[in-house]
Amino acid sequence: MFLNVHSAYSLKYGTMDIPTIVSKARALGIHQMVLTDINNSTGAIEFIRTCYKQGIARAPDETQSGNIPYHLKPVAGIEFRKDDQLLYFGIAKNKEGMRELNEFLSIHNIEGRALPDDAPVFEHVFVIYPFIKSFNRVLKTNEFVGIKSSQLNYLYKHSLLQQKEKLLIWHPVTVGCKIEHRLHQYLRAIELNTLLSMVPEASKCGDDEVLITEKALKAKFEAFPFMADNTQRLIDTCDLSVYFEPQVKSKNRFSYTKEGEIFDRILLRRIAYKGLAYRYGNDHPVARARMEKELSIIEFKNYCAYFLITFDIVRYAMGRHKFYHVGRGSGANSIVAYCMRITDVDPIDLDLYFERFLHEKRTSPPDFDIDFAWDEREVIQKYIFEKYPRWHVAFLGTMSTFKDRAIIRQIGKVLGLPKEEIDGFTDPAKERENQKNATYQKLIAVHQYMRSMPNQRSIHAGGILISDEPITYYTALDMPPKGYVTVQWDMYEAEAIGYEKFDVLSQRGIGHIREAVQLIEKNQGKAIDIHDFKTFKHDPQLNAILREGQPVGCFYIESPAMRQLLKKLKCEDYLTLVAASSIIRPGVASSGMMKSFIERYHAPDQVVYLCKEMEEQLKETYGVMVYQEDVIKVCHYFAGLDLADADVLRKAMSGKYRSKLAFEELVNKFFQSARLQGHAEELIVEVWRQISSFAGYSFSKAHSASFAVESYQSLYLKTYYPKEFMVAVLNNYGGFYSRWVYVHELKKTGAKVYLPCVNHSDEVVNINGNDVYLGFMGIMGLENKMIEQIPAERRKNGPYKDLEQFVKRTQITLEQVILLIRLGALRCTGKDKKTLLWEIYNYLGHRQKRTHSAELFNLESKEYVLPALENSALEDAYVEWELLGYSLNFNMFDFLKTSYRGEVMAADLGKYVGETVRMVGNYVCEKTVHTVKNTKMWFGTFLDVKGDFFDTTHFPNTTPIYPFTGKGCYLILGRIVEDFGFPSVEVLKFAKLDIVMNPVAVH
């Protein structure tokens, strides 16, 4: 009976989520309802599913005999609005109707066209127009008019009474109560970017747009009973029960080959066994047995096409483009994936369980995470979208909610508060003071209602859906700025519907590796097989660098926390690095398991295991559960659960299992099965305690192993080809540290690093032998056009001879050429900066921009003799700082007024453990954490004057509120402490040192 219900997915309009709508309808005894969100179908399938799962809808095959339970019939559609004006809303008769509505909206979203005032011709959709007094539209067979109870008086002698069969009860639903109506007004003000008091009435819902009983609704229309009959007949005609699946079936593309699933199975086996010979040779019974086991499960779950499509993506990348990729995540637990070269992690070598990725009892779909270089991913995405038909491929969406601080700002803005007051309300330092403020309390009250509501739809980082049937059966599509169609729901809804995403991701670390290999071949003529990981992991030089914890620039292992962990572990092998990649995660570290692991790692003979099963399964990690696979192993070998149930339990404990009852059944099964193995009750309880306390923090071993492989590849390149590797790091950005740290690291390799030069530099950093020239891309304020044009023109027509020729050939503006002159990029002309600045003002300072035209004669310009113009190295350093963000030839110590550089250097900290020392450090980075008492403490990273790293700890009782004040050198008084052989400084006093001022600013 309710034809026009809005959920919170009607962004910044509706206030109720889907479960709330269904529960309210149930409480009121409502039997029919149509969800019609504004210009989207995000919640349509969720609404249908929720009605059935709450047991208040009849299942499609339920008989009509006997006692029929109460049910809410879910129907869905879309409300279409243009410029905040309601045009009409469509209600799907069936699944084809949903497709028609979704494709109609999608086409307008994709093509950027406004919605038409008249609805198109639909075959399986009812269209309802809102009633207005001047309504005189000629209605098609499937078109109706919705009339509110407040509009009934306007029907008197209206021509529409001649078409009684077209008139329907229209009672829109938008809010849950009067309080939510006020919330709705806030949402509208935020959407319209106006004051709360300035929201037009036409842009708000009515006060009565709430759910009421069906009896009360019909009573409003008792003078027009035919309208209730018409409305009932319309809803009775609709049937979307096909969308309810007690057992969710995969919606992904069913077959990779044109011939179908049988051929898919044959092809998958052929490719997998060919890869098995490549990876393991022809005589490896363990690998062959595991291959058969995995293939049988893959075939049983009908995921052959999923593996083949992923293989096709990887083959395209490796073949045509020679792109380097990393297959990570739980997909690396599969020997099939390993043999198909989707991943480079050997699951047999690492004892990885396939059940962590896929098993016969898994209800949620698996997914592969495939990483490409940051600037190569779009090529892969384009290939996928061009390979599969329209409406069958789309990006996965995301739904962002109102964030805490953003909500307060937005609420304050619509209330008309001044910016200064809003800033004060969002300042954590003023939280106690704000608690006493009445206006702040009002903001917080609104915030409590709004904080978890959806704010806007966006695009997933890399998830792509490839659907067997048109994806528009399940969603309309958006067209974000990225340029690829995107579904209107997120990964959780995709999983609930039955879609497995293909994660095509990107990372800068792969770019580092790819470009380093290219630079080595170009600069040294050596071809590197970067996939020769089996050699890398046994290289003593690489493992020595790991042990010392100095892998700056290397993917995943360069952060201060990771460097500390590597040094504490004295890590010098692949398996330890895999473990380190897992225990570095915040949850594991804060739980105390990191410390336990390090202690046991250094004293393995003192480890006491709970029982022989725990020793057998956790000996590699010294009795500490480090990986998600450890949970599976213990549940399987200790408690006797099969591997599928063990993984289901692992997933349930990680918070990804929604059924509390099913979870409790699994826990009971764990205890019962463990008792059958003959274990004592006290032991079972303790093992369960350890499992349950760890599971929420756990990390996939395959994921850690994938990271460790990439870390070794980076480490190999940095160890043997440090110059080329650091240039590659600079050119791909995205490392943990600021750019100047990597320039510093590059200089430490012995390379001669030069400032940008118009005759030597390219868009990015280049290397020729031992000479490295910084690129134009790093110059602040230099336009992209000039970054590309300067080297392009030089490559085409030769080096620039002088300033005048440079200006003529590039058509550069005065402001842009001044940047280059000040930085010394035109030093190749043989003239100093001041002379060049004088000449450029004389040449361009009072003239209009020259037009680019050929000269008939090449006239020599007159030379003028200038007096000597002074320039200092300090002045140059300040210019570099301004335009590059750092000085190439001055480090921060050179700027200091004092000559004091500390009494202890970083390399000698181990000699002063327990002593209080003074050090001077160049600030690198910081990390803020909250203590158990909810106070702040900090960890700092610095370089000493010799260029070595050292780390500091700043406790709340010895540290001001904000200890760090940006770049510069700090005088540090602190006590040297040592933790597992890693020395650091517990700071007692801390102050930033004064620097010599810029001589230009002084004058």
Side-chain angles (χ1 to χ4, degrees), residues 68 580 817:
I68 300 174
V817 74

Side-chain angles (χ1 to χ4, degrees), residues 795-860:
R795 288 191 284 263
K796 182 179 179 181
N797 296 312
Y800 302 105
K801 295 180 180 178
D802 52 37
L803 176 62
E804 183 176 2
Q805 191 197 62
F806 173 74
V807 172
K808 287 179 180 179
R809 287 169 58 182
T810 60
Q811 291 295 292
I812 195 168
T813 63
L814 177 63
E815 293 78 8
Q816 292 284 285
V817 74
I818 287 173
L819 287 178
L820 296 173
I821 292 172
R822 292 180 63 215
L823 193 58
L826 282 139
R827 60 190 180 277
C828 55
T829 63
K831 296 182 179 180
D832 62 73
K833 294 181 181 181
K834 298 292 176 64
T835 301
L836 289 169
L837 286 171
W838 182 281
E839 289 184 0
I840 198 62
Y841 272 104
N842 190 43
Y843 185 66
L844 287 180
H846 305 288
R847 302 184 187 187
Q848 294 181 343
K849 185 178 177 182
R850 291 171 173 260
T851 58
H852 190 53
S853 57
E855 295 180 332
L856 290 175
F857 303 101
N858 187 13
L859 301 176
E860 295 291 332

Side-chain angles (χ1 to χ4, degrees), residues 450-470:
M450 199 183 294
R451 62 185 304 174
S452 61
M453 292 180 65
N455 182 12
Q456 62 183 9
R457 296 190 302 274
S458 186
I459 186 170
H460 188 271
I464 297 175
L465 307 180
I466 304 174
S467 181
D468 195 71
E469 57 187 340

Side-chain angles (χ1 to χ4, degrees), residues 390-492:
R390 187 187 195 191
W391 306 130
H392 290 257
V393 59
F395 264 111
L396 187 60
T398 60
M399 186 68 69
S400 64
T401 57
F402 286 97
K403 299 296 187 293
D404 288 357
R405 190 161 297 186
I407 297 176
I408 293 174
R409 287 193 174 279
Q410 289 175 316
I411 298 170
K413 188 176 178 181
V414 302
L415 286 174
L417 301 181
K419 183 179 183 300
E420 294 76 15
E421 188 172 4
I422 295 173
D423 290 343
F425 288 154
T426 56
D427 186 349
K430 297 182 179 180
E431 190 168 347
R432 287 188 180 179
E433 178 186 339
N434 289 333
Q435 292 293 339
K436 302 173 184 178
N437 187 299
T439 304
Y440 178 76
Q441 292 298 329
K442 184 176 182 179
L443 297 181
I444 293 299
V446 178
H447 156 261
Q448 292 302 319
Y449 283 99
M450 199 183 294
R451 62 185 304 174
S452 61
M453 292 180 65
N455 182 12
Q456 62 183 9
R457 296 190 302 274
S458 186
I459 186 170
H460 188 271
I464 297 175
L465 307 180
I466 304 174
S467 181
D468 195 71
E469 57 187 340
I471 206 166
T472 45
Y473 278 121
Y474 301 94
T475 176
L477 302 173
D478 291 327
M479 179 60 85
K482 191 175 181 70
Y484 293 108
V485 294
T486 304
V487 300
Q488 292 188 328
W489 25 249
D490 60 20
M491 60 184 289
Y492 301 104

Side-chain angles (χ1 to χ4, degrees), residues 32 73 182 512 547 577 624 782 845 921:
Q32 304 95 10
K73 179 178 181 178
R182 187 60 170 170
H512 300 168
R547 182 184 178 90
L577 181 58
V624 178
L782 190 62

